[in-house]
Amino acid sequence: DIVLTQTPLSSPVTLGQPASISCRSSQSLVYGDGNTYLSWLQQRPGQPPRLLIYRVSNRFSGVPDRFSGSGAGTDFTLKISRVEAEDVGIYYCMQFTQFPRTFGQGTKVEIK
Amino acid sequence: EVQVVESGGGLVQPGGSLRLSCTVSELSFTDAWVNWVRQAPGKGLEWVGRIKSKADGGTGDYAAPVKGRFTVSRDDSKRTVHLQMNSLKTEDTAVYYCTTDSIHGSSSIRFDYWGQGTLVTVSS
């Protein structure tokens, strides 16, 4: 199985400051069709997960542009340009290049 | 607005069975693939299984811990997917989420819409 390792596991951030989460894969996530199937999810406290970013760098409908994704191959990053109070929660990377689909352990973003 | 609604969770004894349902509104359901993802209390996310659209074969794929015990099926006339869970174990205790892979324009976006989840507790 592909293992996704996120760092850090906890990220205390000052409101208005940037935050960055890394996701490293145990194997390349480039699929045979040339696409890289790496997504980022947000889970606010008490809420279900929500799709933020798909295929590395594409924001899903309704996602604020302060969220951005980048990376290639085995190394990926989610950035929040200016953290707002509503961004508190746990962020997961996930891959669907291979079965089984796997998730990172999650990174908790909280306000300092 | 797309709505994904799960139902059918509850308390069941080890070795028992339960059937979860997921109803999806406001998207092209017949073209959508549907996944189940679970989250044990205080833990991270775990993919459980998926069913393709009937046009793509209607087949299911499963994670190793549930293969042979869980089965995903779909009823497109009711816009509903079911997760039949047999031989339940205490480690199957989790919130079960239904999430779609749906078509947006000319491409598919996976895990785009999520339900609120339904809690399954396996305990004697």
Side-chain angles (χ1 to χ4, degrees):
Chain A
D1 296 2
I2 291 178
V3 176
L4 299 178
T5 303
Q6 291 183 227
T7 54
L9 296 183
S10 178
S11 179
V13 185
T14 301
L15 284 173
Q17 293 300 302
S20 180
I21 302 169
S22 170
C23 176
R24 179 162 288 179
S25 174
S26 60
Q27 301 176 37
S28 172
L29 296 184
V30 180
Y31 189 60
D33 63 3
N35 287 312
T36 300
Y37 292 110
L38 185 284
S39 293
W40 290 94
L41 307 171
Q42 176 196 59
Q43 188 172 31
R44 291 170 172 152
Q47 295 294 312
R50 164 199 179 199
L51 178 64
L52 292 179
I53 303 286
Y54 63 96
R55 289 201 291 275
V56 179
S57 59
N58 298 276
R59 270 189 304 276
F60 188 54
S61 173
V63 174
D65 61 7
R66 64 179 180 274
F67 290 94
S68 64
S70 62
T74 60
D75 288 295
F76 304 92
T77 302
L78 174 71
K79 290 184 179 172
I80 310 174
S81 59
R82 294 172 305 280
V83 171
E84 298 188 4
E86 66 179 17
D87 300 336
V88 165
I90 300 176
Y91 291 78
Y92 297 92
C93 58
M94 67 160 298
Q95 67 81 24
F96 41 92
T97 293
Q98 272 191 28
F99 282 103
R101 311 327 197 182
T102 52
F103 297 83
Q105 325 95 297
T107 294
K108 190 171 187 177
V109 171
E110 52 197 355
I111 305 301
K112 273 185 191 174
Chain B
E1 181 188 345
V2 175
Q3 289 201 330
V4 179
V5 179
E6 303 94 337
S7 60
L11 174 63
V12 61
Q13 291 190 337
S17 297
L18 207 58
R19 190 175 86 151
L20 306 184
S21 298
C22 167
T23 301
V24 181
S25 66
E26 304 300 326
L27 61 71
S28 179
F29 184 77
T30 53
D31 295 326
W33 300 4
V34 178
N35 297 272
W36 288 93
V37 172
R38 67 185 179 183
Q39 187 169 36
K43 301 295 185 184
L45 301 170
E46 180 187 22
W47 178 77
V48 172
R50 175 201 73 184
I51 188 164
K52 292 182 177 180
S53 64
K54 290 213 165 108
D56 291 316
T59 54
D61 296 283
Y62 303 93
V66 307
K67 199 167 186 177
R69 300 189 297 125
F70 289 13
T71 303
V72 186
S73 62
R74 63 189 298 155
D75 182 344
D76 287 354
S77 68
K78 295 181 180 175
R79 305 177 66 88
T80 298
V81 166
H82 299 289
L83 178 65
Q84 177 67 43
M85 303 186 296
N86 299 330
S87 303
L88 282 160
K89 306 175 181 180
T90 55
E91 53 263 40
D92 295 319
T93 293
V95 174
Y96 284 72
Y97 295 105
C98 177
T99 172
T100 57
D101 297 347
S102 57
I103 303 296
H104 296 256
S106 58
S107 64
S108 171
I109 298 178
R110 308 218 186 272
F111 298 84
D112 49 359
Y113 300 107
W114 293 68
Q116 291 292 319
T118 187
L119 176 62
V120 172
T121 304
V122 184
S123 175
S124 54

